[in-house]
Amino acid sequence: MVSIGSKTLVSRSSMGEHDYEPLKQGKTKRRKHKKGGSTHAFDSNSFTSPPQLSRVRKQLDPETTQYFSEISNLFESDGVELEDRSLICANALEETKGKEFEIATDYILSHTLETILQGCDVHHLCDFLHTSANHFPYIAMDRSGSHVAETSIKSLAVHLQDDDDVVRPLVEEALTMICKVIAANSVDVMCNCYGSHVLRTLLCLCRGVPLDKSGYYLSKSTTVLADRLNSKEFSSKKYDATNFQPGFPNLLKSLVSDMLKHAKKCIKILQVDQFSSLVFQTVLRVLAGDDEELLHVIPILLGCKDKNNAEDNFIGTRVVAELKNLLKESKFSHLMEVVLEVSPEALFNELFTKVFRNSLFELSSHQHGNFVVQALISYASNQDLMELIWEELGPNLEGLFKMGRSGVVASLVAASERLHINEHKCCQVLAEAVCPVDESPKWIVPRLLFLDSCFTSEDKSNWSWQSGSKMHVMGSLILQTVFRFRSECIQPYIISITSMEATHVLEAVVDARGSHVIEAFLCSGASGKQKRRLVTKLQGHFGEVALTSSGAFTIEKCFTASNLSLREAIVSEMLAVRSDLSKAKQGSYLLRKLDIDGYAAGYLVYYRISRLLLLIEKIFFNFLCTQTL
């Protein structure tokens, strides 16, 4: 039950039409809305940019606070039908006029405003954005207001999914206003921890990025590391915008252009700012595939004043030394990773020649610079460039391991496999880095699985299997990549993994990282006999492995690589733990995949026939004995 003043409101199921009137009419007398939308007339020149000063928040009157609290209580009670909810939202937005900033930045009322923005129609949503436009940068930079700003942007994206010719012009009109005021204050907004996220969301909407695909565009560069090492192609290079909404390309270019005009004045500060770096990363990702625009934007972000397209000279000599130093700075290194990810080929090659060449090992040794080198290697697209990279880093794999830069090695191995260059040499040098030629190759895989302990050991020749320790993430990824090479390149690795003791194989399989290595080997170009040699070492433990978090997938790979007798052994062990397996996360999948129930039924028939044959044989034997007597 909800009450406003002297009136009481409850669900329509128990009360009449008049019980909704206080909230349908609003807090005070309201002007009527024209059918179909807002009464606001848009003028692109009517706004004035907020002054570059902090905004003082006025105190909300108790009546407004009470009004929005009652709306919140009503919505939480689920006592409002859809059509009435929309009307209440519309009237509530009317009540925000002149108080948009105060309500949006109120810690409690902002939550109610978010709900209202999600529930209102597109006309009232756009009307709210028009009336709050001059306050929008301040709202976006507030702890509570940023959620309101982001909700309004995402709600526009939801409405754009409607196949309605009226919606798009309304949204574009509102977005134009918002983009203008944001661009005018873009330096303040992008450097603010809350405003930065709102601005990135706005960029995604202008590009037409669906809400369910926005994660990549808002993520940090390092979150795509696993994709770099495991994928043949990278989405940004191929630029697959399948299922994107049409977006507003002209508005996007205008917003970016205006942002850069303001950013040029203080680019050296913005390059190393945490939150502006994130905004620039999103700018680059939403422009991916538009080479012309990128060739204009990237040099500005790198601190270059102008570019000379006629000479394909994008990076001025003056900034090269500065860039080499910036690559060792945390925030800029993240930005440079995305620059390399989206750069057109001509600019990518120029960056390599002027900035990276002959500095790769030095950068690889740095705690931040090494991530940029990983990106450079991962996004290299031709063998000639990869050959130059290999010349600098190939002979230094052991040194990179000792410095803890296994990510650079992993990227180098992945690129060699992806571009089919120096494949045999890469596998050979990698093996020698962890296991000198005068030692048995059986240690190659174990030492990569426990990479850190191997290289912190004073004498690798005395190193032993690290029972109970977690296996190394990068070492696991390197081995997974190695087993994608042609079998003739990886014979020492095959010898090593098939020479592992049964207890060590079991430890590897039950470790999340080790299990991926075992699976990679079972899917490699090794012979069936070599694969079965490894699978045999798990006999008697198939049920135990199947019950681990990732064991179902490993058992499936074991089954595929096995001959008939080994498959029977696997299934019979699964049968013994069938009850527990059916309760496990991936257990049901494995039971269906291996048809354990079918095997059980078949085995029962086989057992009964065998017993019957034994009985017949016994009767026949007794009969022969009787005849002989």
Side-chain angles (χ1 to χ4, degrees), residues 118-151:
Q118 291 169 332
C120 69
D121 62 39
V122 68
H123 304 283
H124 294 99
L125 173 60
C126 291
D127 189 35
F128 171 80
L129 290 172
H130 283 303
T131 58
S132 64
N134 286 340
H135 312 290
F136 200 83
Y138 293 113
I139 293 172
M141 291 186 286
D142 179 80
R143 179 182 179 183
S144 299
S146 61
H147 294 286
V148 173
E150 196 168 347
T151 297

mmCIF file of all heavy atoms in Angstrom, residues 118-151:
data_model
loop_
_atom_site.group_PDB
_atom_site.id
_atom_site.type_symbol
_atom_site.label_atom_id
_atom_site.label_comp_id
_atom_site.label_asym_id
_atom_site.label_seq_id
_atom_site.Cartn_x
_atom_site.Cartn_y
_atom_site.Cartn_z
ATOM 1 N N GLN A 118 14.101 3.925 -17.707
ATOM 2 C CA GLN A 118 13.959 2.626 -18.368
ATOM 3 C C GLN A 118 12.511 2.330 -18.741
ATOM 4 O O GLN A 118 12.253 1.592 -19.690
ATOM 5 C CB GLN A 118 14.501 1.510 -17.457
ATOM 6 C CG GLN A 118 16.004 1.554 -17.270
ATOM 7 C CD GLN A 118 16.484 0.619 -16.169
ATOM 8 O OE1 GLN A 118 15.748 0.334 -15.215
ATOM 9 N NE2 GLN A 118 17.714 0.140 -16.279
ATOM 10 N N GLY A 119 11.581 2.923 -18.000
ATOM 11 C CA GLY A 119 10.174 2.593 -18.214
ATOM 12 C C GLY A 119 9.404 3.580 -19.059
ATOM 13 O O GLY A 119 8.270 3.298 -19.465
ATOM 14 N N CYS A 120 9.983 4.735 -19.363
ATOM 15 C CA CYS A 120 9.249 5.746 -20.125
ATOM 16 C C CYS A 120 9.353 5.486 -21.626
ATOM 17 O O CYS A 120 10.205 4.718 -22.076
ATOM 18 C CB CYS A 120 9.771 7.142 -19.794
ATOM 19 S SG CYS A 120 11.436 7.462 -20.396
ATOM 20 N N ASP A 121 8.506 6.157 -22.403
ATOM 21 C CA ASP A 121 8.587 6.004 -23.858
ATOM 22 C C ASP A 121 9.690 6.905 -24.405
ATOM 23 O O ASP A 121 10.243 7.746 -23.705
ATOM 24 C CB ASP A 121 7.236 6.304 -24.516
ATOM 25 C CG ASP A 121 6.767 7.735 -24.275
ATOM 26 O OD1 ASP A 121 7.610 8.656 -24.295
ATOM 27 O OD2 ASP A 121 5.547 7.933 -24.064
ATOM 28 N N VAL A 122 10.012 6.717 -25.690
ATOM 29 C CA VAL A 122 11.150 7.404 -26.290
ATOM 30 C C VAL A 122 10.953 8.915 -26.329
ATOM 31 O O VAL A 122 11.911 9.686 -26.241
ATOM 32 C CB VAL A 122 11.434 6.840 -27.702
ATOM 33 C CG1 VAL A 122 10.302 7.199 -28.676
ATOM 34 C CG2 VAL A 122 12.773 7.347 -28.228
ATOM 35 N N HIS A 123 9.705 9.370 -26.467
ATOM 36 C CA HIS A 123 9.449 10.811 -26.543
ATOM 37 C C HIS A 123 9.832 11.500 -25.238
ATOM 38 O O HIS A 123 10.505 12.544 -25.248
ATOM 39 C CB HIS A 123 7.965 11.050 -26.846
ATOM 40 C CG HIS A 123 7.491 10.361 -28.089
ATOM 41 N ND1 HIS A 123 7.769 10.832 -29.347
ATOM 42 C CD2 HIS A 123 6.776 9.218 -28.264
ATOM 43 C CE1 HIS A 123 7.239 10.023 -30.246
ATOM 44 N NE2 HIS A 123 6.629 9.031 -29.612
ATOM 45 N N HIS A 124 9.403 10.934 -24.124
ATOM 46 C CA HIS A 124 9.705 11.545 -22.840
ATOM 47 C C HIS A 124 11.173 11.351 -22.454
ATOM 48 O O HIS A 124 11.746 12.199 -21.761
ATOM 49 C CB HIS A 124 8.772 10.979 -21.771
ATOM 50 C CG HIS A 124 7.346 11.348 -21.979
ATOM 51 N ND1 HIS A 124 6.434 10.490 -22.568
ATOM 52 C CD2 HIS A 124 6.674 12.502 -21.732
ATOM 53 C CE1 HIS A 124 5.254 11.090 -22.661
ATOM 54 N NE2 HIS A 124 5.367 12.314 -22.159
ATOM 55 N N LEU A 125 11.763 10.265 -22.891
ATOM 56 C CA LEU A 125 13.188 10.052 -22.651
ATOM 57 C C LEU A 125 13.996 11.142 -23.345
ATOM 58 O O LEU A 125 14.899 11.755 -22.754
ATOM 59 C CB LEU A 125 13.602 8.665 -23.150
ATOM 60 C CG LEU A 125 15.103 8.339 -23.124
ATOM 61 C CD1 LEU A 125 15.646 8.414 -21.700
ATOM 62 C CD2 LEU A 125 15.358 6.952 -23.718
ATOM 63 N N CYS A 126 13.691 11.380 -24.612
ATOM 64 C CA CYS A 126 14.418 12.404 -25.371
ATOM 65 C C CYS A 126 14.140 13.795 -24.802
ATOM 66 O O CYS A 126 15.031 14.656 -24.778
ATOM 67 C CB CYS A 126 14.030 12.342 -26.845
ATOM 68 S SG CYS A 126 14.626 10.852 -27.690
ATOM 69 N N ASP A 127 12.917 14.017 -24.372
ATOM 70 C CA ASP A 127 12.569 15.292 -23.759
ATOM 71 C C ASP A 127 13.415 15.531 -22.510
ATOM 72 O O ASP A 127 13.913 16.642 -22.268
ATOM 73 C CB ASP A 127 11.079 15.301 -23.413
ATOM 74 C CG ASP A 127 10.594 16.683 -22.979
ATOM 75 O OD1 ASP A 127 11.098 17.677 -23.539
ATOM 76 O OD2 ASP A 127 9.727 16.753 -22.100
ATOM 77 N N PHE A 128 13.602 14.494 -21.702
ATOM 78 C CA PHE A 128 14.441 14.598 -20.506
ATOM 79 C C PHE A 128 15.871 14.952 -20.884
ATOM 80 O O PHE A 128 16.514 15.788 -20.237
ATOM 81 C CB PHE A 128 14.410 13.275 -19.724
ATOM 82 C CG PHE A 128 15.410 13.219 -18.611
ATOM 83 C CD1 PHE A 128 15.154 13.839 -17.388
ATOM 84 C CD2 PHE A 128 16.617 12.553 -18.781
ATOM 85 C CE1 PHE A 128 16.084 13.794 -16.367
ATOM 86 C CE2 PHE A 128 17.556 12.507 -17.760
ATOM 87 C CZ PHE A 128 17.284 13.131 -16.544
ATOM 88 N N LEU A 129 16.393 14.326 -21.939
ATOM 89 C CA LEU A 129 17.761 14.605 -22.364
ATOM 90 C C LEU A 129 17.908 16.040 -22.866
ATOM 91 O O LEU A 129 18.937 16.688 -22.648
ATOM 92 C CB LEU A 129 18.194 13.607 -23.443
ATOM 93 C CG LEU A 129 18.395 12.171 -22.949
ATOM 94 C CD1 LEU A 129 18.636 11.222 -24.112
ATOM 95 C CD2 LEU A 129 19.561 12.105 -21.973
ATOM 96 N N HIS A 130 16.879 16.547 -23.552
ATOM 97 C CA HIS A 130 16.921 17.936 -24.011
ATOM 98 C C HIS A 130 16.978 18.901 -22.820
ATOM 99 O O HIS A 130 17.803 19.815 -22.779
ATOM 100 C CB HIS A 130 15.677 18.259 -24.842
ATOM 101 C CG HIS A 130 15.729 17.725 -26.236
ATOM 102 N ND1 HIS A 130 16.743 18.029 -27.115
ATOM 103 C CD2 HIS A 130 14.877 16.910 -26.920
ATOM 104 C CE1 HIS A 130 16.522 17.425 -28.277
ATOM 105 N NE2 HIS A 130 15.396 16.733 -28.176
ATOM 106 N N THR A 131 16.078 18.698 -21.868
ATOM 107 C CA THR A 131 15.986 19.638 -20.743
ATOM 108 C C THR A 131 17.174 19.527 -19.796
ATOM 109 O O THR A 131 17.500 20.491 -19.101
ATOM 110 C CB THR A 131 14.688 19.412 -19.955
ATOM 111 O OG1 THR A 131 14.645 18.060 -19.480
ATOM 112 C CG2 THR A 131 13.473 19.681 -20.833
ATOM 113 N N SER A 132 17.828 18.362 -19.789
ATOM 114 C CA SER A 132 18.975 18.175 -18.882
ATOM 115 C C SER A 132 20.313 18.345 -19.591
ATOM 116 O O SER A 132 21.365 18.143 -18.979
ATOM 117 C CB SER A 132 18.911 16.788 -18.234
ATOM 118 O OG SER A 132 19.029 15.772 -19.223
ATOM 119 N N ALA A 133 20.286 18.691 -20.879
ATOM 120 C CA ALA A 133 21.518 18.715 -21.686
ATOM 121 C C ALA A 133 22.599 19.587 -21.074
ATOM 122 O O ALA A 133 23.767 19.192 -20.989
ATOM 123 C CB ALA A 133 21.198 19.167 -23.111
ATOM 124 N N ASN A 134 22.236 20.818 -20.639
ATOM 125 C CA ASN A 134 23.252 21.716 -20.083
ATOM 126 C C ASN A 134 23.860 21.184 -18.792
ATOM 127 O O ASN A 134 24.955 21.589 -18.407
ATOM 128 C CB ASN A 134 22.646 23.098 -19.837
ATOM 129 C CG ASN A 134 22.435 23.863 -21.131
ATOM 130 O OD1 ASN A 134 23.050 23.548 -22.156
ATOM 131 N ND2 ASN A 134 21.554 24.847 -21.101
ATOM 132 N N HIS A 135 23.143 20.285 -18.128
ATOM 133 C CA HIS A 135 23.644 19.692 -16.884
ATOM 134 C C HIS A 135 24.296 18.323 -17.121
ATOM 135 O O HIS A 135 24.883 17.758 -16.200
ATOM 136 C CB HIS A 135 22.492 19.506 -15.885
ATOM 137 C CG HIS A 135 21.626 20.703 -15.721
ATOM 138 N ND1 HIS A 135 22.045 21.859 -15.107
ATOM 139 C CD2 HIS A 135 20.336 20.940 -16.114
ATOM 140 C CE1 HIS A 135 21.067 22.750 -15.121
ATOM 141 N NE2 HIS A 135 20.014 22.226 -15.721
ATOM 142 N N PHE A 136 24.169 17.806 -18.327
ATOM 143 C CA PHE A 136 24.553 16.412 -18.575
ATOM 144 C C PHE A 136 26.021 16.124 -18.239
ATOM 145 O O PHE A 136 26.318 15.083 -17.631
ATOM 146 C CB PHE A 136 24.255 16.029 -20.030
ATOM 147 C CG PHE A 136 24.151 14.546 -20.251
ATOM 148 C CD1 PHE A 136 22.978 13.860 -19.988
ATOM 149 C CD2 PHE A 136 25.252 13.809 -20.692
ATOM 150 C CE1 PHE A 136 22.885 12.493 -20.173
ATOM 151 C CE2 PHE A 136 25.176 12.446 -20.881
ATOM 152 C CZ PHE A 136 23.989 11.781 -20.622
ATOM 153 N N PRO A 137 26.984 16.992 -18.614
ATOM 154 C CA PRO A 137 28.375 16.695 -18.233
ATOM 155 C C PRO A 137 28.553 16.585 -16.725
ATOM 156 O O PRO A 137 29.297 15.725 -16.240
ATOM 157 C CB PRO A 137 29.153 17.884 -18.806
ATOM 158 C CG PRO A 137 28.308 18.380 -19.931
ATOM 159 C CD PRO A 137 26.900 18.179 -19.473
ATOM 160 N N TYR A 138 27.867 17.458 -15.965
ATOM 161 C CA TYR A 138 27.958 17.403 -14.513
ATOM 162 C C TYR A 138 27.324 16.125 -13.971
ATOM 163 O O TYR A 138 27.832 15.505 -13.030
ATOM 164 C CB TYR A 138 27.265 18.615 -13.892
ATOM 165 C CG TYR A 138 27.960 19.923 -14.171
ATOM 166 C CD1 TYR A 138 27.358 20.884 -14.978
ATOM 167 C CD2 TYR A 138 29.207 20.191 -13.627
ATOM 168 C CE1 TYR A 138 27.991 22.085 -15.230
ATOM 169 C CE2 TYR A 138 29.851 21.389 -13.875
ATOM 170 C CZ TYR A 138 29.241 22.343 -14.682
ATOM 171 O OH TYR A 138 29.878 23.526 -14.921
ATOM 172 N N ILE A 139 26.198 15.753 -14.543
ATOM 173 C CA ILE A 139 25.535 14.506 -14.141
ATOM 174 C C ILE A 139 26.444 13.320 -14.423
ATOM 175 O O ILE A 139 26.592 12.419 -13.591
ATOM 176 C CB ILE A 139 24.188 14.348 -14.883
ATOM 177 C CG1 ILE A 139 23.196 15.426 -14.419
ATOM 178 C CG2 ILE A 139 23.600 12.956 -14.660
ATOM 179 C CD1 ILE A 139 21.911 15.471 -15.229
ATOM 180 N N ALA A 140 27.072 13.330 -15.596
ATOM 181 C CA ALA A 140 27.944 12.209 -16.001
ATOM 182 C C ALA A 140 29.161 12.076 -15.104
ATOM 183 O O ALA A 140 29.689 10.970 -14.933
ATOM 184 C CB ALA A 140 28.386 12.412 -17.450
ATOM 185 N N MET A 141 29.606 13.179 -14.511
ATOM 186 C CA MET A 141 30.816 13.141 -13.682
ATOM 187 C C MET A 141 30.522 12.919 -12.204
ATOM 188 O O MET A 141 31.426 12.970 -11.378
ATOM 189 C CB MET A 141 31.617 14.435 -13.867
ATOM 190 C CG MET A 141 32.238 14.570 -15.247
ATOM 191 S SD MET A 141 33.334 16.015 -15.414
ATOM 192 C CE MET A 141 32.128 17.351 -15.476
ATOM 193 N N ASP A 142 29.278 12.654 -11.887
ATOM 194 C CA ASP A 142 28.887 12.416 -10.496
ATOM 195 C C ASP A 142 28.776 10.919 -10.220
ATOM 196 O O ASP A 142 28.402 10.134 -11.102
ATOM 197 C CB ASP A 142 27.538 13.097 -10.219
ATOM 198 C CG ASP A 142 27.064 12.873 -8.797
ATOM 199 O OD1 ASP A 142 27.556 13.585 -7.894
ATOM 200 O OD2 ASP A 142 26.214 11.985 -8.595
ATOM 201 N N ARG A 143 29.075 10.544 -9.007
ATOM 202 C CA ARG A 143 29.047 9.111 -8.643
ATOM 203 C C ARG A 143 27.686 8.480 -8.910
ATOM 204 O O ARG A 143 27.593 7.412 -9.501
ATOM 205 C CB ARG A 143 29.415 8.967 -7.166
ATOM 206 C CG ARG A 143 29.384 7.530 -6.667
ATOM 207 C CD ARG A 143 29.700 7.470 -5.189
ATOM 208 N NE ARG A 143 29.655 6.094 -4.699
ATOM 209 C CZ ARG A 143 29.835 5.756 -3.424
ATOM 210 N NH1 ARG A 143 30.080 6.691 -2.523
ATOM 211 N NH2 ARG A 143 29.777 4.489 -3.049
ATOM 212 N N SER A 144 26.615 9.154 -8.484
ATOM 213 C CA SER A 144 25.266 8.628 -8.712
ATOM 214 C C SER A 144 24.752 9.027 -10.093
ATOM 215 O O SER A 144 24.119 8.236 -10.792
ATOM 216 C CB SER A 144 24.308 9.131 -7.633
ATOM 217 O OG SER A 144 24.711 8.699 -6.353
ATOM 218 N N GLY A 145 25.030 10.265 -10.472
ATOM 219 C CA GLY A 145 24.530 10.763 -11.749
ATOM 220 C C GLY A 145 25.043 10.003 -12.940
ATOM 221 O O GLY A 145 24.349 9.864 -13.964
ATOM 222 N N SER A 146 26.269 9.472 -12.840
ATOM 223 C CA SER A 146 26.835 8.726 -13.974
ATOM 224 C C SER A 146 25.976 7.517 -14.328
ATOM 225 O O SER A 146 25.840 7.161 -15.503
ATOM 226 C CB SER A 146 28.265 8.279 -13.660
ATOM 227 O OG SER A 146 28.296 7.423 -12.523
ATOM 228 N N HIS A 147 25.378 6.886 -13.322
ATOM 229 C CA HIS A 147 24.496 5.743 -13.584
ATOM 230 C C HIS A 147 23.223 6.197 -14.296
ATOM 231 O O HIS A 147 22.715 5.500 -15.172
ATOM 232 C CB HIS A 147 24.152 5.034 -12.277
ATOM 233 C CG HIS A 147 25.320 4.378 -11.616
ATOM 234 N ND1 HIS A 147 25.877 3.209 -12.085
ATOM 235 C CD2 HIS A 147 26.055 4.738 -10.534
ATOM 236 C CE1 HIS A 147 26.899 2.867 -11.322
ATOM 237 N NE2 HIS A 147 27.034 3.776 -10.376
ATOM 238 N N VAL A 148 22.730 7.377 -13.921
ATOM 239 C CA VAL A 148 21.551 7.930 -14.588
ATOM 240 C C VAL A 148 21.884 8.246 -16.045
ATOM 241 O O VAL A 148 21.121 7.921 -16.966
ATOM 242 C CB VAL A 148 21.058 9.191 -13.864
ATOM 243 C CG1 VAL A 148 19.938 9.869 -14.658
ATOM 244 C CG2 VAL A 148 20.588 8.854 -12.459
ATOM 245 N N ALA A 149 23.034 8.890 -16.271
ATOM 246 C CA ALA A 149 23.454 9.248 -17.627
ATOM 247 C C ALA A 149 23.619 8.001 -18.493
ATOM 248 O O ALA A 149 23.171 7.949 -19.643
ATOM 249 C CB ALA A 149 24.763 10.030 -17.572
ATOM 250 N N GLU A 150 24.252 6.993 -17.923
ATOM 251 C CA GLU A 150 24.481 5.759 -18.684
ATOM 252 C C GLU A 150 23.164 5.035 -18.967
ATOM 253 O O GLU A 150 22.965 4.493 -20.061
ATOM 254 C CB GLU A 150 25.434 4.845 -17.917
ATOM 255 C CG GLU A 150 26.020 3.742 -18.774
ATOM 256 C CD GLU A 150 27.170 3.029 -18.087
ATOM 257 O OE1 GLU A 150 27.665 3.530 -17.064
ATOM 258 O OE2 GLU A 150 27.557 1.963 -18.589
ATOM 259 N N THR A 151 22.254 5.044 -18.004
ATOM 260 C CA THR A 151 20.944 4.423 -18.208
ATOM 261 C C THR A 151 20.183 5.117 -19.329
ATOM 262 O O THR A 151 19.536 4.458 -20.153
ATOM 263 C CB THR A 151 20.121 4.467 -16.907
ATOM 264 O OG1 THR A 151 20.785 3.690 -15.903
ATOM 265 C CG2 THR A 151 18.719 3.913 -17.123
#
